[in-house]
Amino acid sequence: MRLGRIASPDGVAFVSLEDSGDGVVAKEIAEHPFGTPTFTGRSWPLADVRLLAPILATKVICIGKNYAAHAAEMGGSAPENPVIFLKPNTSIIGPEVPIVRPPSSDRVDFEGELAAVIGRPCKDVKASEAAGVILGYTVANDVTARDQQQADGQWTRGKGYDTFCPLGPWIDTAFDPSDAEIRTELDGEVRQRSRTSLMLHDIGAIIEWISRVMTLLPGDVILTGTPEGVGPMVAGQRVSVTVEGLGTLSNPVVDKP
């Protein structure tokens, strides 16, 4: 099932996105997408609505240096254990919403990633049981003010600006994250290309590590790390992140007025 959030003439709603003979239809979910969704009976052609970020996260937990080649390009070694940090939920935007470069930064980078969405409250999850707490997967861009990340010595400011966490276009509950291509394009030119099978710490290990530290709640989003090839974006460009078999997340880049 593909789950999303839309803005329609009737308001904002969670939906199931289903193929029909006339294209994709957004079927309204009655309350929330967790558990077994129920439907209101209302639906819209996908062409008549606007896709929003597919989830309103309580928190966004990120994994740093989860691909060896990216750790090397950042000048470090591959970590023995997952490195975790947080982005505020106010950084989340949906497809086609502009990424806004702050005037205080001289370098804002793209970081294409696979993201997991938590489906139920959980704590101290074993890696072997992690699949049971996941609602599904979506595409993410861990936008980073690289100069500020390096200057501060910690990552909160450089990764926490509004618009610095694009998510979408939907959540796929049946996606297999074990070995999918992840690709980032800037103005159509491929800048990142790798596979999720090259993660240093897989989804199970990541959820086990994080849930030892903090309780995970329905809708929490976990960004699983970016491969090598990160680089700067400037106003007027467009960045697109594609995860094979999942979808493409595309956003224009602008400067803050």
Side-chain angles (χ1 to χ4, degrees), residues 130-208:
V133 306
I134 296 172
L135 174 65
Y137 294 88
T138 191
V139 184
N141 189 345
D142 177 20
V143 179
T144 304
R146 190 71 66 199
D147 51 348
Q148 295 180 5
Q149 179 192 28
Q150 294 170 346
D152 291 354
Q154 52 84 22
W155 302 355
T156 303
R157 180 171 69 126
K159 291 178 175 283
Y161 284 94
D162 291 355
T163 77
F164 272 26
C165 188
L167 294 177
W170 43 67
I171 298 165
D172 191 324
T173 63
F175 178 75
D176 179 358
S178 59
D179 184 30
E181 184 185 75
I182 181 167
R183 183 177 74 253
T184 304
E185 298 179 5
L186 189 65
D187 287 344
E189 180 182 343
V190 175
R191 297 298 184 87
Q192 292 182 283
R193 175 173 275 158
S194 188
R195 302 196 70 84
T196 57
S197 55
L198 295 176
M199 288 183 187
L200 297 172
H201 310 286
D202 65 15
I203 304 296
I206 289 169
I207 290 180
E208 180 176 282

Side-chain angles (χ1 to χ4, degrees), residues 80-96:
E80 180 180 354
N81 295 309
V83 176
I84 61 176
F85 62 95
L86 297 174
K87 292 173 85 85
N89 57 11
T90 48
S91 66
I92 294 174
I93 56 173
E96 298 300 329

